Amino acid sequence: MHCAARARSSDAAASVAIVLAAALPTDAADIDDAEPGAVREGSSLLAETKAPTARELEVISLIAQGLSHKQVAEQLGISPHTVANHVAHVRTKLNAAGAEHAVAIAIRAGLV
């Protein structure tokens, strides 16, 4: 990984950590009342706290610009299937319902 990409990845990880830390429940009752794996709209319960990789953020950024999976794949020199995998990983990491939701979360968190 190039130094610039590594720096962006570290910055992204820090941004996600800050956003996730602010969103995590602070009250034990919030944790005790939650079902394992439960996610509610506006909830602070998150499936994962891993930050998206630099490449995943690059893909989400291009999707946020309105590119299709095929266009993203062509621009990055990867297959549309790989683009879909990156989007799926970001969705999981950001606990997003869909690609559009992942883009919105990434924008709000300042990741893209």
Side-chain angles (χ1 to χ4, degrees):
M1 185 182 298
H2 297 298
C3 291
R6 187 173 295 130
R8 282 193 310 269
S9 182
S10 294
D11 290 346
S15 295
V16 170
I18 290 167
V19 169
L20 296 180
L24 290 173
T26 55
D27 185 357
D30 289 343
I31 297 169
D32 292 339
D33 292 341
E35 295 177 29
V39 177
R40 297 182 301 259
E41 183 62 33
S43 172
S44 56
L45 300 174
L46 302 170
E48 256 189 63
T49 57
K50 267 180 83 173
T53 65
R55 186 61 150 192
E56 290 166 349
L57 290 175
E58 187 175 17
V59 168
I60 287 296
S61 177
L62 292 170
I63 289 173
Q65 294 173 32
L67 276 65
S68 69
H69 284 205
K70 183 178 178 183
Q71 292 168 323
V72 171
E74 289 170 357
Q75 185 164 333
L76 298 179
I78 58 178
S79 76
H81 181 75
T82 301
V83 171
N85 283 339
H86 286 314
V87 171
H89 294 156
V90 172
R91 286 180 54 204
T92 300
K93 290 176 180 181
L94 299 181
N95 197 28
E100 296 84 3
H101 190 209
V103 167
I105 292 169
I107 290 171
R108 271 187 263 136
L111 300 175
V112 295

